[in-house]
Amino acid sequence: MQHSMSRTENCNKAVANGDALCCVDPDIAKLVRQEWQRQNCEINLIASENVAPLAILQTLGSVLVNKYAEGYPAQRYYAGCELYDDMERLAIERAQQLFAAAHANVQPHSGSSANLAAYLALLQPSDTILAMRLDHGGHLTHGARVNFSGRLFNVVHYGVSRHSQRIDYDEVLQLAQQHRPKLIIAGASAYPRRIDFGRFADIAAQVDAKLLVDMAHIAGLVAAGVHPSPLPHAHVVTSTTHKTLRGPRGGLILCRQELGKAIDKQIFPGCQGGPLMQAVAAKAVCFYMAARPAFRQYQQQVIDNARALAAALQQHGLSLVSGGTDNHLLLIDLHNSEISGQEAEAVLSRVGLVTNKNGIPFDPKPPRITSGIRLGTPGVTSRGMKQQQMQYIADYIATALTKRNEPDSLQTIAQQVRELAVAFPAYTSLPDSGCVAAIGDAT
Ligand code: DSN
């Protein structure tokens, strides 16, 4: 009869395997393990998510979590920050080099805090901002009424043209001339086309506004040079570091030299206290990796995969917002079909394809229902998938949507999705715990 191991024995075994979490908190350890399995067994098509490299996970899960480092390199409010100064300087220098930026702040906890600090540096409360509508592909922090940006500032929105579903630059100019905003924001979270940053800069110059580009979604493409950079055109560029850039969750601000002091002051002490130094160091690793030739190849594949996925979905008769994609994401337009975005997301989820419902321009359905599905290729490309696999994924999506009321068909697709997913694991050298192995004393 097999001897069942006691909790202590289990614990000792786990610690010996470098798995301290399992010993300290088996409940959370189990959930992390399950999430690790989910990531390996499902296919993640969420356009804003990615698979962070092991070096990033390792930096995040390190002793760097222990330190307060309020302030900036050589100007800290606590002792013991010399090594953190070196890490932050490396992150700053690498960000400046990667994006050809005069000034970089690597401390924002997120894209939202990056945007908040940038607005506070450039504007007074009640000043006017001109930004893209959320329901045409913009972002919450670009002036949505429920967000700080919509509450603190007077926001006017531009959108896309009904006909082309692309940004209507004539409308942007006309609104800028009418409302004389102090700040124009370009950038989006659900826009599959290239944005003409030069055109935005011309419009901003005509009305004496500053231009801020939020490049969170496309930062990796920009870093790799496979998408035009906003840096030559914008006064301030904000970003996250975890989307196409494939780094830790966090934010980044790049700006012209003359705005550097004001931006830094609004991050600390303006909006944040102690920086998350494990994330700052992980951003340094991310920028290092993003400057390597392999990253360029990866980003080109992200775009090639998005195009292949778009073409294959269209062959299945599915419509795409704006008719295709220039970047890492695409939007299926379901407004002429019987299924809503919400229902489509649920059906795809049942077969292991993780997506998000998304409003489409001029969507007749409310935001919780929507008529669209947003898909992105950064995650699947990080797992090594190429055009051939995009064809399979498009087949699975189209068949699952068509046969959504046939449980046997859905089960067959779920099996195919699982086989494809496990053939392209997210990580090949993580222990089963889903955690980077613990180092040293486990408890
Ligand atoms: N939540 C992000 C996205 O999915 O695009 C934006 O912040």
Side-chain angles (χ1 to χ4, degrees):
M1 201 170 129
Q2 212 178 357
H3 167 72
S4 71
M5 283 206 289
S6 69
R7 167 111 200 267
T8 316
E9 283 171 314
N10 259 329
C11 224
N12 289 343
K13 190 172 164 235
V15 173
N17 287 335
D19 189 356
L21 179 60
C22 180
C23 181
V24 173
D25 187 340
D27 299 328
I28 289 293
K30 185 173 166 202
L31 292 168
V32 174
R33 205 164 45 244
Q34 287 173 342
E35 168 58 7
W36 158 226
Q37 283 158 0
R38 183 193 73 81
Q39 290 187 17
N40 266 344
C41 297
E42 294 186 337
I43 293 181
N44 181 17
L45 295 162
I46 294 188
S48 51
E49 295 180 7
N50 210 328
V51 183
L54 268 183
I56 301 281
L57 297 192
Q58 200 178 350
T59 313
L60 290 172
S62 71
V63 294
L64 303 185
V65 298
N66 293 332
K67 190 79 188 98
Y68 259 119
E70 273 148 311
Y72 289 102
Q75 296 167 340
R76 305 282 186 188
Y77 287 78
Y78 295 88
C81 289
E82 291 76 9
L83 298 171
Y84 295 85
D85 287 358
D86 289 348
M87 292 175 215
E88 187 164 349
R89 282 197 193 100
L90 271 177
I92 290 169
E93 285 164 17
R94 289 174 182 174
Q96 287 171 312
Q97 214 163 1
L98 186 63
F99 292 107
H103 183 88
N105 187 306
V106 294
Q107 291 193 6
H109 299 332
S110 66
S112 295
S113 52
N115 283 345
L116 174 59
Y119 302 162
L120 293 177
L122 299 172
L123 303 168
Q124 295 300 319
S126 302
D127 278 350
T128 300
I129 296 177
L130 176 60
M132 191 166 184
R133 289 168 59 159
L134 179 59
D135 58 355
H136 281 203
H139 189 255
L140 262 184
T141 59
H142 298 179
R145 268 206 308 268
V146 291
N147 182 260
F148 68 81
S149 52
R151 294 176 64 188
L152 286 179
F153 303 104
N154 171 42
V155 184
V156 180
H157 281 122
Y158 60 85
V160 297
S161 123
R162 197 179 273 277
H163 168 66
S164 66
Q165 299 182 314
R166 296 177 190 231
I167 292 172
D168 183 344
Y169 293 94
D170 293 334
E171 184 199 26
V172 179
L173 175 60
Q174 180 259 313
L175 289 170
Q177 286 170 335
Q178 184 183 344
H179 296 279
R180 310 293 300 185
K182 268 211 175 152
L183 180 68
I184 298 180
I185 302 176
S189 60
Y191 186 67
R193 295 299 181 177
R194 281 189 177 180
I195 298 175
D196 188 342
F197 300 122
R199 188 89 190 266
F200 268 105
D202 284 346
I203 295 171
Q206 285 189 48
V207 296
D208 203 19
K210 294 265 190 308
L211 176 64
L212 180 149
V213 173
D214 181 342
M215 65 166 182
H217 261 267
I218 55 167
L221 307 178
V222 170
V226 298
H227 189 290
S229 170
L231 265 297
H233 306 287
H235 296 83
V236 178
V237 175
T238 58
S239 186
T240 55
T241 48
H242 51 271
K243 297 187 175 87
T244 47
L245 202 46
R246 209 166 60 177
R249 299 198 84 78
L252 168 71
I253 306 179
L254 306 167
C255 65
R256 295 184 181 170
Q257 195 62 51
E258 66 272 18
L259 293 169
K261 265 199 180 137
I263 291 281
D264 288 352
K265 222 167 116 182
Q266 290 307 332
I267 280 291
F268 174 83
C271 325
Q272 295 186 177
L276 309 175
M277 290 310 295
Q278 73 279 17
V280 168
K283 286 173 200 175
V285 178
C286 157
F287 302 144
Y288 177 85
M289 295 180 83
R292 308 266 77 76
F295 192 75
R296 188 174 203 287
Q297 284 163 20
Y298 160 69
Q299 296 294 350
Q300 186 57 54
Q301 190 65 52
V302 167
I303 290 183
D304 293 347
N305 281 352
R307 287 195 182 133
L309 184 59
L313 289 167
Q314 285 170 317
Q315 278 162 15
H316 278 287
L318 287 160
S319 300
L320 302 181
V321 169
S322 82
T325 178
D326 299 329
N327 56 28
H328 64 297
L329 69 83
L330 45 126
L331 289 147
I332 303 179
D333 177 347
L334 296 165
H335 90 277
N336 275 332
S337 79
E338 284 167 12
I339 187 168
S340 69
Q342 184 186 43
E343 289 159 339
E345 178 193 293
V347 167
L348 296 177
S349 214
R350 273 181 69 188
V351 299
L353 295 166
V354 186
T355 65
N356 67 277
K357 62 178 176 287
N358 212 99
I360 56 166
F362 308 100
D363 202 322
K365 296 203 168 79
R368 281 182 194 279
I369 309 289
T370 79
S371 304
I373 284 286
R374 187 182 67 162
L375 306 175
T377 53
V380 288
T381 310
S382 287
R383 293 169 72 166
M385 294 190 197
K386 296 211 163 83
Q387 286 90 331
Q388 177 72 71
Q389 287 74 40
M390 297 306 111
Q391 178 72 55
Y392 299 149
I393 290 172
D395 295 347
Y396 303 149
I397 291 173
T399 315
L401 294 181
T402 312
K403 303 195 169 174
R404 60 188 178 277
N405 296 320
E406 298 175 26
D408 288 351
S409 303
L410 291 183
Q411 209 177 342
T412 305
I413 300 167
Q415 185 55 34
Q416 291 168 327
V417 167
R418 196 182 166 89
E419 280 165 20
L420 180 61
V422 298
F424 290 86
Y427 299 93
T428 45
S429 55
L430 259 189
D432 283 348
S433 64
C435 302
V436 176
I439 302 165
D441 183 4
T443 51

